[in-house]
Every structure is written in C-alpha cells, then in structure tokens.
C-alpha cells in the first residue's frame, strides 16, 4: 500500500484528489489544507514557504508518504524548489492547463480564470508565451470565486447573478475555451459553464496531475487493507468544518483532524 499526500490552502485541492482517486483508488490518501492561513494568494512568500514546509514535512514523516501533490497553483509557483530539496520523494505541482487549451480552441481566444496572484506571476506569462503564443489570452483574476467554491462544498448555493457579474468582461470576446487556473474552480465548473455559455471547453489540470501521479507510482495495488483509512487534516477552527465532514465522507475521505498549527 502506498500513501499519497495532497496539500492545499483550502478545499480546492479536493478537485485534484477526486481525479487522482479515480485513477488510483487503492492507495491511501492524506488530504491536508491550511485553512488557518487561507487564502494563500494573500500571504507573504516567506510565510507561505514556512507553513507549507512545516505541514507537509510533518505529515510525510507521520504517514510515511510516497508522493506529495501540492494542489494549489499559488503554492506551486513558490514552494516546489525548497520542498523538493527538503524531501526525498516525488513532489508534483499544478500549473494552469494553458497548453491543452491552446490546442482545443477553435477561435484561438482563451480565457484564463485564476486568483489575482496566479494571474500576476511570471510563470503564467511564460506558459502563455511557450504554449499559446498564437492565441489571444484574456486573464481574469478573482478571489471571490475561491470563496464561492469553499461555500458550495459546505452546502451553500452559488449565486449565478454574482458569477455573471464576475465573468462580464469576457462576454463580448471570442473566447471559446476557459482554463480554470485555480484548483478551487472545478468545484463550480457547472455554474461557470451555465453562466458563460459561449465556452465550448472549460478545462482544468486535474486529469493531467492524476496521470503524472499514476506514471510516478503506477497502480500496482489491487485491494485496500481494512486498517488503512484516508484521512483529512486542517489548521483552522473546528467549527468551520462541521458541514464539510459530510462532503468529505462522500469522497471517501475521513473526518477532519486538527493540525494545531497557528494562523500566520
């Protein structure tokens, strides 16, 4: 039995977990989210690195993890080098799915929906220059969508009128392919597709991440030992995750366990 640790600042990484679990259902999964410091896009980089290194390293040791997935676009742009230097196991990050989007688009007009931090980072521009230089790329950074995704997983409905207002800048463009550049956003993919109907493709990097994990570990497990359980950890207040427990159990993850790690 191998163990995969998936880390994010919030519940967005659950969209990545679901894709990996679909391909590799027989492994043990540890999902950890640093909600005490959520959202990561507003953290100082040094604080982000410190928190991620501490939480991930502690859980790797505790559960003897075989592979780590940093299921956060913001963290992936900052923490991967020091984390890989600190750990002697594979660490997989996420990047916006700009390359496949450029190949899919018929109008050669892409919309990249991400957090403001991801939109501003040089690595996003580098991806556009390398893989979508023949496309018109419209960047839209928004933090409210992250909050909407978090609230949806806790049972709240997404306000479609508010979502329409957020996506309004794109309505008079030729965009036919939308890249969900934050792991939270696949959680509200249906609502985004309903509001922005001109997009024939709405894609994220979850499937590509799952394929990468599969290639690194391989699906060699054939059954789950009954003493092995999937676990969920968080750093925030327990009162914030009571409703979330129901969704986690439905995803074959255990009830949330406190990390007792303070806010930044």
């Amino acid at each position: 039995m191998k163990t995969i640790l998936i880390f994010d600042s919030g519940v967005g990484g659950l969209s990545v977990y679901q894709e990996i679990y679909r391909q590799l259902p027989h492994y043990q999964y540890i999902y950890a989210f640093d909600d005490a410091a959520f959202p990561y896009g507003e953290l100082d980089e040094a604080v982000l690195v410190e928190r991620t290194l501490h939480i991930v390293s502690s859980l790797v040791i505790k559960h003897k993890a075989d592979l780590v997935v940093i299921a956060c676009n913001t963290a992936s742009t900052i923490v991967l080098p020091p984390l890989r230097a600190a750990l002697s196991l594979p660490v997989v990050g996420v990047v916006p799915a700009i390359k496949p989007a450029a190949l899919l688009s018929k109008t050669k007009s892409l919309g990249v929906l991400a957090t403001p931090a991801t939109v501003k980072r040089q690595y996003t521009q580098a991806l556009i220059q390398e893989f979508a230089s023949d496309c018109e790329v419209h960047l839209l950074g928004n933090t409210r969508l992250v909050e909407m995704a978090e609230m949806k997983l806790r049972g709240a409905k997404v306000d479609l009128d508010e979502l329409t207002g957020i996506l309004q800048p794109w309505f008079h463009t030729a965009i036919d392919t939308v890249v969900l550049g934050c792991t939270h956003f696949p959680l509200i993919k249906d609502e985004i597709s309903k509001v922005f109907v001109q997009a024939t493709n709405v894609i994220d990097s979850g499937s590509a991440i799952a394929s990468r994990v599969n290639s690194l570990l391989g699906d060699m497990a054939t059954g789950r030992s009954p003493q092995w359980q999937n676990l969920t950890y968080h750093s925030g207040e327990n009162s914030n995750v009571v409703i979330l427990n129901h969704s986690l159990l439905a995803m074959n993850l255990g009830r949330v366990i406190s990390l007792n790690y303070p806010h930044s």
Side-chain angles (χ1 to χ4, degrees):
M1 181 67 68
K2 292 183 178 179
T3 298
I4 298 171
L5 170 62
I6 301 174
F7 176 80
D8 190 13
S9 61
V11 300
L14 291 172
S15 67
V16 175
Y17 157 74
Q18 288 176 306
E19 285 290 339
I20 301 174
Y21 182 81
R22 184 176 60 82
Q23 290 193 27
L24 301 167
H26 301 301
Y27 290 163
Q28 182 188 34
Y29 289 87
I30 309 298
Y31 185 82
F33 61 107
D34 189 15
D35 51 333
F38 175 84
Y40 266 15
E42 298 178 7
L43 281 188
D44 180 82
E45 290 190 7
V47 175
L48 190 156
V49 170
E50 178 187 357
R51 295 185 70 89
T52 303
L53 281 173
H54 177 87
I55 294 172
V56 171
S57 297
S58 298
L59 291 175
V60 164
I61 295 170
K62 181 181 178 71
H63 293 286
K64 298 180 174 62
D66 296 283
L67 181 142
V68 171
V69 177
I70 302 300
C72 172
N73 290 82
T74 300
S76 290
T77 64
I78 299 168
V79 78
L80 289 184
L83 192 59
R84 284 169 173 158
L87 301 176
S88 59
L89 69 162
V91 180
V92 178
V94 298
V95 297
I98 291 171
K99 180 179 180 180
L103 296 174
L104 283 171
S105 178
K106 301 299 184 184
T107 63
K108 293 302 176 182
S109 183
L110 312 179
V112 178
L113 191 60
T115 62
T118 297
V119 164
K120 293 176 183 177
R121 295 205 187 281
Q122 181 56 40
Y123 96 108
T124 303
Q125 293 299 325
L127 288 173
I128 293 170
Q129 292 170 11
E130 183 174 0
F131 300 115
S133 59
D134 62 337
C135 298
E136 183 179 20
V137 180
H138 302 264
L139 296 166
L140 183 56
N142 188 277
T143 302
R144 176 58 181 161
L145 294 178
V146 178
E147 298 169 352
M148 287 181 171
E150 292 268 336
M151 292 166 61
K152 179 183 178 181
L153 206 62
R154 289 170 170 83
K157 289 187 177 181
V158 175
D159 187 332
L160 296 184
D161 290 335
E162 183 181 5
L163 184 57
T164 299
I166 291 170
L167 299 178
Q168 187 67 43
W170 285 355
F171 282 2
H172 300 293
T173 68
I175 292 172
D176 70 342
T177 301
V178 172
V179 177
L180 302 181
C182 171
T183 55
H184 277 81
F185 296 171
L187 300 174
I188 54 172
K189 180 178 180 178
D190 291 344
E191 289 82 359
I192 291 171
S193 296
K194 185 179 295 185
V195 166
F196 195 62
V197 294
Q198 72 187 60
T200 54
N201 307 297
V202 180
I203 64 174
D204 60 84
S205 55
S207 180
I209 298 166
S211 296
R212 176 60 176 160
V213 171
N214 196 353
S215 70
L216 289 169
L217 292 183
D219 193 5
M220 296 182 293
T222 57
R224 178 178 294 281
S225 176
Q227 68 265 24
W228 284 71
Q229 293 180 324
N230 294 332
L231 302 172
T232 308
Y233 289 90
H234 82 124
S235 59
E237 297 292 334
N238 286 328
S239 59
N240 294 332
V241 297
V242 173
I243 299 175
L244 180 59
N245 277 325
H246 179 74
S247 297
L248 293 172
L249 291 173
M251 294 180 188
N252 296 304
L253 282 168
R255 291 184 179 277
V256 177
I257 303 166
S258 177
L259 284 166
N260 296 316
Y261 193 69
H263 195 283
S264 60

